[in-house]
Amino acid sequence: MNPGQLSLTIVDALESLVADGSVALPQGVPTTVTVERPRQKGHGDYATNVALQLAKAAQVDGAGTNPRALAALVAARLADADGVAGVEVAGPGFLNITVEAGAQGQVAADIVAAGAAYGSSDTFAGERINLEFVSANPTGPLHLGGVRWAAVGDALGRVFEKTGAVVTREYYFNDHGAQIDRFSSSLLASARGRQAPEDGYGGEYIHEIARSVVEQRPDVLDLDDPAAQEVFRQVGVEMMFTEIKQSLHDFKVDFDVYFHEDDLHRSGAVDRAVERLTGLGNTYEKDGATWLATEKFGDDKDRVVIKSDGQGAYLSGDLAYYLDKRERGFDRCFIMLGADHHGYVGRMMAMCAAFGDEPHVNLEILIGQMVNLLRDGQPLRMSKRAGTVVTIDDLVGAIGVDAARYALARYSSDSPIDIDLDLWARATNDNPVFTVQYAHARVASLMRNAADLGVKAESHPHLLVHDKEGELLRALAELPRVITAAAELREPHRVARYLEELAGTYHRFYDSCRVLPRGDEETSDLHRARLLLVDATRVVLANGLDLLGVSAPERM
């Protein structure tokens, strides 16, 4: 019996109490009940606070009741349920529940049978989600802030897919505006042997791309500066973007859609968005410009959308892009932004409301904090190639793709993180990704040894009665809840922390419970049952690592 199954059992008990008139619940019986592992041993296998949640509205014999009294009624019904060994009312009205060994042991067989599907749910079934992340300007190699969103965004997409959503990963390609002009003028200056513009870009990569453009277009230096700069803009931006895409692919992050900002301005999408907002009564004219009335939707002031010279203001592209996503049929649009974009959230939510949508539902903005790399205890300040920032290739070159993805996805994205390169490169237990991957490799090794001995995993759930077996079974049963929480809270780091706890629980089980027979010892059903538990652990570790985009090695 896993937490989800126990939740349904508790719901059945509540429905039974309501059906025979023992309890009245004016707001109805909940469809699900929160079931958690108790923090202290001796408090049963699982606990629920359902009585505390329902008691205020509940009635018994036509009168109000209290949580402990309601808990006692629920406990009496639960005690007779299949798979429940005992129920205790604790504190102000908690229910501590012990499940039968056979019911708990069945979890291992269920996990192995489900395989790669274990942990899936229908929490977001039917939802079409657009997940926009990274979206770094194509003016230089991908820096650490973008790399963090590459790891977190891709993991969040995997978590959403595991909970039933249809996810489109999208990269917004900023190929329009002043930063592209500065990039192309920097390339031109490099090619002509001049100093970069004061507001331009530096670093060895600028010289590399400039040389590549000249190789591809030998005639470029014969053109006057405006024409040459346009060549460097077109060819150089494409080269830079190709490099970014390759770096992301090598990082195991691929996008379904690469959307060009320039297309919004060329296609008339901005005009269509302004027309839509005007039709809704949310624009007005002032000082020769078109304004969006965002203040009435919670922004700190109204915003210019079309400037007095007829050019689109910065917000105009956001309007067109959001409308484009909604017209493509996405129910939820996520945008992942860097730490310097906090002030951007209010106007975007006001824009969402101006279109008649629901802020924080149809549009959500996630903010990611800074990442610092440390070596020998000292921060790394710049890349040899990029000159001013540390890049994705610097990080991967130092610790590898798996460790980099795990390190970046392991922490809540709204907290700054320091990544100690020395720690994450070590093959020791203080390296979190090594700990989890080693647990999987250890499990895989045991399964190979069992095959060599001819021992096959079998389900004998009633035999798994050892304390450490119970702890491992309960830990394995938590994966669906962890994934659901990660999706609902937009926090894939919960998966990483769960895997680390699971690895420790497995090692304690292995140290206490002999899985394979020794010497001439005859293979027993307990050996086979424990081997199935080990196989279930393999499935959960592999599924969890896959959600983070990290490999599950068979050997280390």
Side-chain angles (χ1 to χ4, degrees), residues 52 59 68 181 213 231 281 295 303 437 478 543 556:
L52 288 99
Q59 293 186 332
R68 277 192 66 88
D181 293 335
V213 173
V231 172
E295 188 173 0
R303 305 284 173 175
Q437 289 185 315
E478 285 287 291
N543 289 3
M556 289 182 71

Side-chain angles (χ1 to χ4, degrees), residues 234-512:
Q234 293 179 358
V235 180
V237 166
E238 185 58 36
M239 286 181 176
M240 190 72 258
F241 193 47
T242 298
E243 180 178 321
I244 290 172
K245 287 196 284 187
Q246 185 61 52
S247 293
L248 287 167
H249 176 74
D250 294 342
F251 199 59
K252 298 194 289 188
V253 176
D254 292 296
F255 289 85
D256 303 297
V257 174
Y258 291 96
F259 194 101
H260 290 255
E261 180 186 7
D262 208 40
D263 290 345
L264 292 172
H265 298 272
R266 295 177 183 273
S267 67
V270 170
D271 293 335
R272 289 198 304 276
V274 174
E275 288 172 7
R276 173 74 65 86
L277 292 165
T278 299
L280 292 168
N282 293 326
T283 67
Y284 62 90
E285 303 294 322
K286 186 178 81 170
D287 301 328
T290 302
W291 294 69
L292 180 61
T294 50
E295 188 173 0
K296 68 179 180 180
F297 296 108
D299 196 5
D300 56 353
K301 62 181 180 181
D302 290 346
R303 305 284 173 175
V304 175
V305 218
I306 305 296
K307 295 182 289 187
S308 57
D309 63 2
Q311 297 298 309
Y314 186 80
L315 185 63
S316 65
D318 294 324
L319 303 178
Y321 191 31
Y322 175 72
L323 181 60
D324 180 88
K325 289 178 181 178
R326 294 287 282 138
E327 288 178 340
R328 280 187 273 151
F330 294 109
D331 306 300
R332 297 176 182 267
C333 302
F334 287 83
I335 306 175
M336 299 179 170
L337 300 173
D340 56 343
H341 285 75
H342 273 287
Y344 193 65
V345 176
R347 75 190 69 172
M348 292 295 287
M349 292 306 160
M351 173 206 72
C352 173
F355 275 115
D357 288 344
E358 188 174 351
H360 308 292
V361 175
N362 299 116
L363 175 64
E364 291 189 47
I365 295 178
L366 307 179
I367 300 293
Q369 295 298 324
M370 298 295 292
V371 181
N372 297 305
L373 297 189
L374 305 178
R375 172 164 279 153
D376 299 325
Q378 299 299 314
L380 295 184
R381 295 299 184 192
M382 64 179 63
S383 163
K384 290 180 180 179
R385 180 165 180 264
T388 56
V389 294
V390 180
T391 70
I392 183 172
D393 297 325
D394 297 321
L395 177 59
V396 170
I399 61 176
V401 171
D402 279 349
R405 285 192 62 132
Y406 194 99
L408 291 164
R410 183 179 184 259
Y411 303 91
S412 173
S413 57
D414 59 7
S415 300
I417 57 174
D418 293 329
I419 295 179
D420 185 334
L421 297 178
D422 301 312
L423 182 150
W424 286 92
R426 287 201 291 263
T428 55
N429 285 332
D430 55 351
N431 177 350
V433 70
F434 175 83
T435 298
V436 177
Q437 289 185 315
Y438 176 68
H440 184 272
R442 191 178 187 188
V443 165
S445 174
L446 195 154
M447 297 301 295
R448 288 194 299 273
N449 292 339
D452 290 343
L453 294 172
V455 180
K456 294 184 179 180
E458 293 179 2
S459 180
H460 300 282
H462 61 286
L463 298 179
L464 299 176
V465 296
H466 192 283
D467 285 347
K468 300 304 179 185
E469 293 166 344
E471 288 178 13
L472 182 54
L473 284 162
R474 288 188 293 276
L476 296 173
E478 285 287 291
L479 181 64
R481 184 191 64 79
V482 170
I483 295 174
T484 297
E488 291 178 338
L489 299 173
R490 319 330 183 197
E491 294 180 344
H493 71 274
R494 290 172 174 267
V495 176
R497 297 308 178 102
Y498 162 77
L499 292 175
E500 291 163 37
E501 292 180 9
L502 176 61
T505 303
Y506 172 75
H507 292 317
R508 289 190 291 275
F509 153 78
Y510 184 83
D511 292 343
S512 300

Side-chain angles (χ1 to χ4, degrees), residues 19-51:
D20 66 14
S22 300
V23 175
L25 294 173
Q27 297 177 352
V29 176
T31 56
T32 60
V33 169
T34 300
V35 174
E36 298 179 326
R37 293 157 66 190
R39 295 181 181 178
Q40 298 181 17
K41 290 184 178 181
H43 287 189
D45 297 319
Y46 296 104
T48 180
N49 63 351
V50 64

